Amino acid sequence: EPAIQMAARELAENQVNSMIGRQLAHYKIVSLLGAGGMGEVYRATDTQLERDVAIKVLPVEFSQDEERLARFEREAKLLAAFNHPNIATIHGLEESDGIRFLVLELVEGQTLAERLIKGPLPIEKALEICHQITEGLEAAHAKGVIHRDLKPANVKITPQGKVKVLDFGLAKAFEGATAVTDLSQQPTLTDEMTRTGVILGTAAYMSPEQAQGQPADRRTDVWALGCLLYELLTGQPTFPGETITEIVAAVLKSDPSWERLPENTPGLIRFLLRRCLDKNSDDRFHDIADVRVAIGDALKELTTVSPSVVTTTTHPGRWRWAVPLVVLGALAASLLTWILMPSSSPVEQQVQRFVISPEATAPLHEDYPFSEVAVSSDGSKFVYVAETETGSQLYLRSLDDFEARPISGTESTANYPMFSPDGESIAFVSSGQLKRVSVQGGAPRVLFDLEGNWGGGSWLEDTIVFVSERDLFSIPANGGEAELLTTAPEAYPDEFHFSEPQILPGGKSVLLQAGRSSPQIAVYSLETGQLTNLLPGGISPRYASAGYVIYLFPGTGKLMAAPFDLQSLEITGEPVPVLEGVRFSRAPVGAGFGATYALSPGGTLVYVLDPGSYYRLLWVDRTGGETLAAPQKRGYRGLNISPDGKRVLMSLGPSSGFSTSTEIYDLEGDSFSRIPTEGITSAIWTRDGQWITYQALVDRKSNLYRQRADRSAAPEQLTHYTDTRYPVPTSWSPDGRILLYKRQEIDSIFIDDILSVDIQASEGPQDLIAGPGNQTAAQFSPDGNWIAYVSDETGENQVWVCRYPEIDRKWLVSDGEVSVQPKWSRDGSELFYRNGNKTMAVSIQTESGFRADRPQLLFEGSYRTDSRGLPRYDVSPDGRFLVVSAQDTEVQIHVVLNWFKELKRLVPVN
């Protein structure tokens, strides 16, 4: 092999030597300038115009391919048609003595590849170079020309400091009409370069879509520009490797080593690099103009402030208008040093919002019921519970940084974090113990051995107050004996617990949540021992130093604010919604609710939106083909198509908790109309489409109601229960007389039974299908003679069918795997149900008794399902399935700086 390689090099050298001094048309070859996968480049003299030019001699195999050559000629003519000071000009494509060659502008100076041999460039110089590159790219993109092979070797700096991009657009022209999927045939990836130890060119700057052989658009130039800027700042390749395989693997799977960037790299540039180098092209900057404006603004800032601090105390620049709002948020994060400084101006600081995506390898944990985030007192950093391969771990994110880092010593089971007042330590719970660790990480110190359920805590000065099971404790933050402050009252022994305590300023009282299934926001006086209820139905209270109690109402998912007097410990005004869609979760049975938000004394709000806000409504045909049913992404929960197939009755709300509204969606007019009655959930149509039926909680009594769909008359109450165990309507008989619904047993909060009510009779609801186990999701057949339902009497959910009204005999319809949500076809000849991601169909015959064929798979898809009876899908009269997509938006952390200004506007106080 070495002998073959040596022979190949000698042949190449002989070919080059034979060109020196040769005349091609009226161009005399003077010397070799360089060589690459698209041919050798020579310095030459144009004897007609008496000027120096560059001659690129194309490979012989390329010149012999007429189809590619014709395409190359068309592209070359297009490139020659425009002129820009940052793009090396193409003078023409010519042929002489059977040799095809390009005549190019000769650019004197050194390439960036040659300059990088000396090491990284100063930040300002690197930005100036890239700013000129983006100007050239922008001009070419405007004419539909994409470079596709941007790299240091293709950028030259003239002695006058002008940047020239070489070989612009030739990669596409060289490629030919058919996309190249063989990496070895990509431009500049020659066989010579596959040798171990050879520094590769194009492979290190390929976008992921290029590396996978997919079509490349202008976003591939954005990627390459990001690679180039990173290399100019660090002096190292963005994706290093010694072979094509290693480099391509890094491009597809690895992240750049961000810690290599100079410490004084502006925050805006750090964010810009991340958005240029996002492996998902949809999340990458789509337009190089946005990159140009950002670099320009960063350059302006560098000329007015120290390189280690970036501020916008003067003009925000065009950047604010040229890029997505999320970029503004990131810029706000990088400006935190300035924002948190006491203002010398009488003008109050403005509210700033931005979004932070947790690390892909450590997403926000979804299973913990209480505070998954905590923010430091000065608002400069926050910590969140991340889900890792080994369990849960705390990650710390400073707002003036662009990466979260794991806190060592919190591995495996860390959760429920709280900051020390100085922001230098974190208290957390792990393996049944309350622990403390430095934000820099290290061996944690055990403060307390917990008993039973942990209920959260807070840290004020040198004291931590926390809940263990039903007891409220305080403990010195440096360790020592814990003091029992109080025990939850025995009035409600099964459910009355304390949780999420917060020591109020002054240290004389504690704000907390009292109760779980029927929670209250309460305050406990450490001086008198008195517990006072402040607000009913709220969870996860936080005191806002602007004079409010903030809490979440789980029935709606809304964050509420109520004016609060710290001296009298009284609510002084009506609660007002201030934020919708904050995520909350319900803990394992009996442990209550918890909301994911945190608040600093200075007004920094950190929260997570419920992902249930981001579902899509889809039509799916019997083959699995999908089409969009509604353009909006919303928290679709229950679905029920009207008998004529033109409207959808739906419940909407967060993925956890209850529905927040019930609306009718007009499929033809693409419009939503909200049913104004409060407290509605689980609504369905009657068979004639004239009425809607729903469950509503009125005066803490949960009952079924029906109302005209046009709201022309007042609702009619169908049941008269006196407790809160809510019934869920599931199906009407064809004659509109019998309503089926499921409801929890009176003596149990865990067991569901199927009941019926005859609206024309006086005897009230009747038990229809009861234990053992849960019975739910009952559906009348179109003729009203059969009922399909779900029962877990065998140990797991299965679909059954029984005759109506004689229900003493039943048939198992599903095939033994967990099955839910039965739905009849409109003619009753089929029964559908969900089995995980599978939608199954069963042919049904009822002419002479009941017979069900073996279930058949219709299609698979990741759609929302429900094991407790809520209709997450429905079947239209034309046989299509209306489904709710699985949540497809990443969970992100939202940060609002100076939130108190907005809070005071929304909830004025005297």
Side-chain angles (χ1 to χ4, degrees):
E1 183 177 354
I4 295 174
Q5 292 174 350
M6 184 177 296
R9 284 196 296 271
E10 290 179 354
L11 178 61
E13 289 173 3
N14 291 335
Q15 290 174 340
V16 169
N17 291 334
S18 68
M19 291 294 296
I20 305 300
R22 186 170 179 175
Q23 188 91 9
L24 295 178
H26 54 276
Y27 302 99
K28 184 177 181 178
I29 305 299
V30 177
S31 62
L32 177 70
L33 293 176
M38 290 191 292
E40 297 86 22
V41 182
Y42 298 89
R43 174 189 288 269
T45 300
D46 183 342
T47 58
Q48 287 186 350
L49 300 178
E50 297 182 354
R51 63 178 177 178
D52 290 335
V53 295
I55 297 293
K56 179 183 282 288
V57 176
L58 303 178
V60 174
E61 63 273 16
F62 176 82
S63 300
Q64 294 173 347
D65 187 331
E66 294 298 326
E67 181 180 350
R68 294 174 69 192
L69 190 60
R71 178 176 175 82
F72 189 93
E73 186 173 0
R74 291 195 300 270
E75 295 291 340
K77 289 179 179 178
L78 174 63
L79 296 169
F82 69 92
N83 183 36
H84 192 275
N86 295 118
I87 298 176
T89 304
I90 294 179
H91 298 313
L93 173 63
E94 300 191 26
E95 181 180 4
S96 177
D97 298 333
I99 297 175
R100 289 279 188 171
F101 59 94
L102 280 167
V103 183
L104 309 167
E105 176 187 2
L106 178 64
V107 180
E108 302 286 359
Q110 66 176 176
T111 67
L112 288 183
E114 294 167 338
R115 170 58 184 85
L116 282 167
I117 294 175
K118 301 176 183 179
L121 280 68
I123 292 178
E124 186 173 349
K125 184 63 176 178
L127 295 181
E128 288 175 351
I129 291 171
C130 287
H131 191 264
Q132 291 190 56
I133 294 173
T134 59
E135 289 181 332
L137 291 172
E138 183 179 2
H141 286 182
K143 293 183 176 293
V145 180
I146 304 168
H147 195 291
R148 300 171 188 249
D149 197 20
L150 184 65
K151 56 187 176 183
N154 277 341
V155 179
K156 269 196 172 184
I157 310 297
T158 71
Q160 296 76 33
K162 176 65 70 175
V163 174
K164 290 279 189 177
V165 181
L166 313 178
D167 280 359
F168 206 106
L170 296 184
K172 179 181 179 183
F174 190 86
E175 179 184 275
T178 305
V180 179
T181 58
D182 181 355
L183 291 178
S184 66
Q185 300 302 315
Q186 288 279 3
T188 77
L189 297 186
T190 65
D191 293 337
E192 170 69 7
M193 288 180 171
T194 63
R195 292 190 298 108
T196 302
V198 174
I199 298 175
L200 302 181
T202 298
Y205 306 92
M206 277 189 198
S207 63
E209 55 269 26
Q210 278 182 301
Q212 294 174 319
Q214 299 173 356
D217 57 20
R218 64 181 62 184
R219 289 171 292 186
T220 202
D221 282 353
V222 171
W223 171 280
L225 189 281
C227 292
L228 197 151
L229 176 56
Y230 177 94
E231 191 167 348
L232 293 180
L233 293 173
T234 65
Q236 301 291 327
T238 315
F239 300 98
E242 294 188 346
T243 67
I244 289 180
T245 301
E246 292 176 358
I247 291 178
V248 171
V251 167
L252 295 176
K253 298 180 181 180
S254 301
D255 290 326
S257 298
W258 300 114
E259 67 275 6
R260 290 181 176 175
L261 291 170
E263 291 184 359
N264 58 342
T265 302
L268 178 56
I269 297 304
R270 292 177 181 269
F271 179 82
L272 179 146
L273 284 169
R274 288 180 176 274
R275 280 295 174 256
C276 286
L277 296 173
D278 198 304
K279 297 186 189 301
N280 185 345
S281 62
D282 288 338
D283 294 333
R284 201 178 305 152
F285 280 132
H286 286 208
D287 199 328
I288 200 70
D290 294 341
V291 182
R292 174 183 58 77
V293 174
I295 294 176
D297 282 351
L299 280 168
K300 292 175 186 176
E301 300 297 346
L302 286 173
T303 61
T304 58
V305 298
S306 165
S308 62
V309 179
V310 182
T311 75
T312 56
T313 55
T314 55
H315 299 289
R318 292 168 295 169
W319 169 252
R320 182 165 300 182
W321 310 107
V323 297
L325 185 59
V326 67
V327 177
L328 285 176
L331 178 58
S334 70
L335 305 180
L336 189 69
T337 303
W338 169 70
I339 292 170
L340 295 177
M341 292 172 56
S343 175
S344 59
S345 167
V347 180
E348 189 174 1
Q349 299 289 355
Q350 296 299 307
V351 177
Q352 308 260 4
R353 301 176 182 272
F354 51 96
V355 177
I356 292 174
S357 298
E359 304 301 307
T361 56
L364 197 73
H365 206 292
E366 297 185 4
D367 293 337
Y368 290 115
F370 298 104
S371 301
E372 298 174 74
V373 295
V375 61
S376 61
S377 295
D378 64 3
S380 66
K381 50 185 173 283
F382 66 89
V383 66
Y384 69 93
V385 180
E387 187 170 11
T388 66
E389 293 181 354
T390 59
S392 60
Q393 185 171 9
L394 300 184
Y395 270 62
L396 179 72
R397 173 67 179 265
S398 296
L399 298 188
D400 59 356
D401 197 358
F402 281 83
E403 279 190 338
R405 61 171 181 83
I407 301 176
S408 62
T410 67
E411 297 85 355
S412 185
T413 60
N415 50 72
Y416 312 133
M418 66 187 93
F419 269 98
S420 61
D422 63 6
E424 296 302 317
S425 298
I426 299 285
F428 65 99
V429 173
S430 178
S431 302
Q433 296 177 316
L434 176 62
K435 300 179 180 181
R436 172 180 175 172
V437 70
S438 167
V439 293
Q440 302 303 320
R445 181 193 311 174
V446 176
L447 300 180
F448 189 78
D449 288 318
L450 303 168
E451 295 182 2
N453 291 324
W454 162 258
S458 67
W459 192 333
L460 181 67
E461 297 179 352
D462 59 354
T463 300
I464 296 175
V465 168
F466 63 95
V467 171
S468 179
E469 193 59 28
R470 298 168 57 85
D471 299 324
L472 182 66
F473 290 92
S474 69
I475 192 170
N478 290 321
E481 292 294 323
E483 177 186 355
L484 177 63
L485 300 177
T486 187
T487 297
E490 296 293 334
Y492 306 95
D494 292 333
E495 69 90 32
F496 201 97
H497 294 69
F498 293 138
S499 59
E500 303 202 61
Q502 181 185 0
I503 312 176
L504 294 175
K508 297 180 180 180
S509 53
V510 179
L511 183 70
L512 47 76
Q513 175 185 326
R516 293 186 175 174
S517 63
S518 300
Q520 301 274 335
I521 303 300
V523 62
Y524 176 76
S525 171
L526 297 175
E527 294 182 320
T528 67
Q530 181 178 358
L531 180 71
T532 303
N533 288 334
L534 300 177
L535 295 159
I539 66 170
S540 302
R542 312 279 190 268
Y543 171 70
S545 58
Y548 302 88
V549 168
I550 312 297
Y551 65 98
L552 189 132
F553 189 71
T556 64
K558 294 179 180 179
L559 202 64
M560 310 291 291
F564 178 69
D565 188 304
L566 187 60
Q567 301 303 316
S568 64
L569 301 181
E570 295 179 345
I571 299 296
T572 59
E574 291 297 318
V576 175
V578 291
L579 189 63
E580 293 192 14
V582 174
R583 189 174 85 168
F584 67 96
S585 58
R586 184 160 190 160
V589 173
F593 296 94
T596 307
Y597 79 103
L599 187 62
S600 79
T604 296
L605 173 67
V606 180
Y607 65 95
V608 176
L609 284 178
D610 192 288
S613 302
Y614 308 112
Y615 295 102
R616 291 177 297 142
L617 195 63
L618 302 173
W619 286 115
V620 182
D621 61 30
R622 293 176 69 95
T623 66
E626 295 181 356
T627 56
L628 201 61
Q632 301 92 337
K633 284 185 179 181
R634 302 189 67 185
Y636 303 109
R637 292 169 61 87
L639 302 177
N640 192 230
I641 301 175
S642 62
D644 61 7
K646 296 180 179 180
R647 295 169 294 170
V648 183
L649 188 58
M650 57 177 63
S651 301
L652 297 106
S655 59
S656 54
F658 306 108
S659 300
T660 58
S661 68
T662 298
E663 301 183 25
I664 297 176
Y665 178 57
D666 186 333
L667 290 165
E668 296 179 343
D670 182 29
S671 61
F672 290 86
S673 59
R674 189 177 186 276
I675 298 174
T677 306
E678 295 296 328
I680 291 179
T681 62
S682 309
I684 63 172
W685 297 98
T686 54
R687 290 294 180 96
D688 60 6
Q690 300 300 309
W691 300 76
I692 59 173
T693 310
Y694 56 85
Q695 178 271 339
L697 186 67
V698 179
D699 297 330
R700 298 190 62 79
K701 300 177 180 66
S702 186
N703 280 286
L704 296 177
Y705 297 81
R706 73 167 184 167
Q707 185 177 14
R708 286 282 183 182
D710 59 5
R711 275 87 82 191
S712 60
E716 298 178 16
Q717 187 170 340
L718 303 180
T719 62
H720 295 83
Y721 293 112
T722 58
D723 55 44
T724 60
R725 291 184 175 89
Y726 62 96
V728 176
T730 58
S731 183
W732 278 97
S733 60
D735 60 7
R737 178 171 177 172
I738 307 297
L739 173 64
L740 301 179
Y741 64 99
K742 71 102 175 176
R743 187 175 187 268
Q744 295 167 349
E745 287 184 3
I746 298 300
D747 297 327
S748 172
I749 62 172
F750 306 118
I751 304 299
D752 291 330
D753 287 337
I754 295 172
L755 295 89
S756 65
V757 60
D758 186 339
I759 63 172
Q760 296 181 10
S762 59
E763 60 267 22
Q766 303 293 313
D767 291 337
L768 188 64
I769 305 174
N774 287 285
Q775 332 294 324
T776 187
Q779 298 286 307
F780 269 118
S781 62
D783 61 9
N785 296 325
W786 308 89
I787 295 176
Y789 65 99
V790 173
S791 173
D792 64 1
E793 62 182 83
T794 63
E796 57 186 10
N797 284 329
Q798 298 291 330
V799 176
W800 297 78
V801 172
C802 67
R803 190 171 182 86
Y804 180 82
E806 303 86 10
I807 59 169
D808 54 341
R809 188 179 178 189
K810 57 187 178 182
W811 291 264
L812 179 63
V813 171
S814 53
D815 56 5
E817 299 184 17
V818 175
S819 303
V820 295
Q821 294 183 269
K823 289 281 185 180
W824 295 92
S825 64
R826 292 299 174 108
D827 62 3
S829 64
E830 286 183 295
L831 187 64
F832 309 105
Y833 65 87
R834 295 281 294 160
N835 174 357
N837 285 338
K838 302 175 182 177
T839 297
M840 310 295 292
V842 180
S843 293
I844 302 293
Q845 297 182 21
T846 58
E847 292 182 358
S848 56
F850 180 86
R851 186 169 70 85
D853 291 346
R854 186 176 181 82
Q856 300 295 320
L857 173 66
L858 278 186
F859 56 84
E860 291 188 66
S862 183
Y863 309 121
R864 295 192 72 188
T865 188
D866 187 272
S867 62
R868 305 285 295 191
L870 288 178
R872 302 291 196 193
Y873 79 102
D874 203 358
V875 185
S876 69
D878 62 10
R880 291 181 299 165
F881 295 81
L882 187 65
V883 303
V884 180
S885 72
Q887 184 264 331
D888 59 359
T889 300
E890 65 176 324
V891 177
Q892 297 177 316
I893 298 172
H894 295 249
V895 180
V896 185
L897 304 179
N898 306 309
W899 183 62
F900 286 168
K901 180 178 182 180
E902 180 176 294
L903 182 61
K904 292 174 182 178
R905 177 181 60 81
L906 294 172
V907 194
V909 293
N910 296 327

